[in-house]
Amino acid sequence: ASGLLSSAQVDAALVYQRRHECRLGEAAVALGLLTSEQVLTSLSQHLQLPFVRREGLERVPAGLMRCVPASVISRLRVCPLRIQWGEEARGLVYVATSEPDNLHLLADVEAATGCAVKPVLALAEDIEHVLRRHGLGDERFAAAAV
């Protein structure tokens, strides 16, 4: 719908998707039809969710990172961006994720923080970069990215 792919390219991505049992966007990236950023930008528009780039993630202060238990961040590979307190007792935490449709992930963050969760899209490699800067790196991801 975004016009980034021709119908022939969509067909090729669908064949790849079925063969490799992955998401359509992952298939388009694997085939070199789109970049990860193009996929997430398009997904951001489709889901009406904000998209944050590495530069925005790099501005996350260490104090904010401590608002979500390190074990939760390490396990879920998310990055807290902002906490908003309203008039009600429960706050709202904005969390960068590359998996906004993973409801279990969002529920785990909610349970760990006691806040409602608002997902913000970010590239997995950008999240990993920031987590490494805060000492929460994942060696498995770093090895796969090389």
Side-chain angles (χ1 to χ4, degrees):
S2 66
L4 294 172
L5 298 174
S6 69
S7 57
Q9 290 172 319
V10 170
D11 290 342
L14 287 170
V15 168
Y16 185 97
Q17 178 189 29
R18 281 190 294 277
R19 183 176 303 136
H20 297 279
E21 299 180 4
C22 63
R23 296 177 180 167
L24 183 60
E26 292 169 344
V29 170
L31 292 171
L33 303 173
L34 296 174
T35 65
S36 295
E37 187 166 341
Q38 287 174 311
V39 170
L40 279 189
T41 300
S42 181
L43 187 60
S44 167
Q45 293 167 354
H46 176 72
L47 297 175
Q48 298 181 337
L49 291 175
F51 175 68
V52 64
R53 290 181 169 78
R54 181 178 293 197
E55 300 79 31
L57 291 171
E58 288 178 337
R59 290 194 293 265
V60 173
L64 184 58
M65 294 293 289
R66 289 190 293 273
C67 291
V68 177
S71 61
V72 172
I73 292 173
S74 292
R75 181 172 50 88
L76 301 177
R77 314 316 296 163
V78 297
C79 181
L81 298 172
R82 172 172 79 129
I83 295 180
Q84 180 178 324
W85 299 103
E87 302 202 1
E88 54 193 65
R90 190 172 174 185
L92 176 65
V93 61
Y94 291 81
V95 177
T97 178
S98 61
E99 302 180 63
D101 58 342
N102 185 336
L103 300 180
H104 295 294
L105 177 145
L106 300 177
D108 285 355
V109 174
E110 193 168 301
T113 63
C115 295
V117 175
K118 173 77 173 168
V120 176
L121 286 170
L123 295 170
E125 53 264 28
D126 290 350
I127 293 170
E128 289 302 323
H129 170 80
V130 171
L131 295 183
R132 280 193 303 274
R133 286 186 62 212
H134 288 280
L136 299 166
D138 184 349
E139 290 74 29
R140 292 170 297 161
F141 184 88
V146 173

